[in-house]
């Protein structure tokens, strides 16, 4: 179980869980949100292109996102496995990811769905205080999740592992690890 994707609404705790899981499974945590924020912070051309999308809660165009992920997955540490957090975020990105992995004769082992109710996630985000965590942008990110990202749950139905995302951090990562073990 080394090639994994974490899916869940904004505020589901993907970043927190991904950090814990990547440590326990010894695979790199690849977060497209973190990669974009690093580009924005360093004012690279990609960051300048991505900034307005991050600021408004829209998805960065697939062409930009897919190439950034392609480069990241080509780095040596991702050869033996990875935990993707925030990618894919729509079915087109999922298709491109599938092609990238097929080209390397690999495929995803599982897609972990962190299941958290919408009223819980909005409350968490409001108290987090990142610059794109204003109420309006949060609401837009939730809409984008429902319309663009939630269809992935159907797309990945055969390898989907659904885990209750409410509880202590350790408790949730234990649930994920147990659910992954049950699949093998
Ligand atoms: P959250 O899960 O709280 O929405 P992220 O850090 O995952 O936060 O993403 C922040 C922003 O980065 C998104 O609102 C979007 O603009 C951009 N982003 C991240 N991943 C992708 C992706 N796969 N495709 C397009 N845009 C993305």
């Amino acid at each position: 179980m080394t090639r994994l994707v974490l899916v869940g609404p904004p505020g589901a705790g993907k970043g927190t869980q991904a950090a814990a899981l990547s440590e326990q499974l010894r695979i790199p945590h690849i977060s497209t949100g973190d990669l974009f924020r690093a580009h924005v912070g360093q004012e690279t051309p990609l960051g300048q292109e991505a900034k307005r999308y991050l600021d408004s809660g829209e998805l960065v165009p697939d062409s930009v996102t897919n190439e950034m992920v392609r480069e990241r997955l080509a780095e040596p540490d991702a050869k033996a496995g990875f935990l993707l957090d925030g990618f894919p975020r729509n079915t087109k990105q999922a298709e491109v990811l599938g092609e990238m992995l097929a080209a390397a004769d690999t495929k995803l082992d599982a897609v972990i769905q962190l299941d958290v109710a919408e009223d819980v996630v909005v409350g968490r985000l409001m108290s987090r205080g990142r610059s794109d965590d204003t109420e309006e942008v949060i609401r837009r990110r939730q809409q984008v999740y429902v319309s663009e990202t939630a269809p992935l749950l159907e797309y990945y139905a055969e390898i989907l592992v659904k885990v209750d995302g409410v509880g202590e951090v350790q408790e949730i990562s234990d649930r994920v690890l147990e659910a992954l073990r049950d699949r093998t």
Side-chain angles (χ1 to χ4, degrees):
M1 284 292 165
T2 53
R3 293 185 180 86
L4 305 171
V5 166
L6 199 53
V7 182
K14 293 190 298 294
T16 306
Q17 280 308 317
L21 291 167
S22 89
E23 195 176 327
Q24 302 208 37
L25 297 169
R26 295 196 178 80
I27 49 178
H29 168 203
I30 301 178
S31 157
T32 44
D34 288 351
L35 291 173
F36 282 131
R37 282 185 288 275
H39 276 282
V40 171
Q42 290 159 20
E43 298 180 359
T44 67
L46 194 154
Q48 285 167 358
E49 161 87 17
K51 187 175 188 307
R52 61 195 167 105
Y53 298 100
L54 270 74
D55 287 347
S56 61
E58 301 297 329
L59 295 187
V60 178
D62 287 348
S63 54
V64 176
T65 307
N66 292 339
E67 287 320 300
M68 183 179 75
V69 171
R70 190 187 303 280
E71 280 178 22
R72 181 63 188 88
L73 289 180
E75 286 177 31
D77 68 330
K79 287 281 177 254
F82 51 77
L83 177 57
L84 275 171
D85 158 15
F87 184 92
R89 236 178 171 90
N90 61 34
T91 44
K92 187 71 204 136
Q93 292 180 2
E95 285 166 16
V96 170
L97 175 62
E99 288 162 12
M100 287 181 212
L101 295 176
D105 257 332
T106 61
K107 59 181 174 56
L108 289 179
D109 295 304
V111 172
I112 303 153
Q113 175 191 0
L114 270 192
D115 187 31
V116 181
E118 179 161 348
D119 52 338
V120 176
V121 299
V122 174
R124 287 185 187 173
L125 291 171
M126 291 300 286
S127 59
R128 185 168 71 177
R130 209 170 68 193
S131 69
D132 60 343
D133 284 341
T134 63
E135 194 176 344
E136 191 190 344
V137 177
I138 288 172
R139 205 174 299 126
R140 181 63 195 144
R141 297 213 309 275
Q142 299 292 341
Q143 286 171 351
V144 170
Y145 177 78
V146 170
S147 63
E148 298 280 316
T149 310
L152 288 178
L153 304 175
E154 183 68 29
Y155 183 90
Y156 285 129
E158 285 184 6
I159 55 169
L160 196 68
V161 174
K162 184 171 171 177
V163 175
D164 178 3
V166 180
E168 298 290 328
V169 172
Q170 180 69 48
E171 201 181 335
I172 300 165
S173 52
D174 286 346
R175 277 180 209 146
V176 173
L177 292 169
E178 199 183 307
L180 290 176
R181 257 194 310 271
D182 288 348
R183 278 186 51 85
T184 51

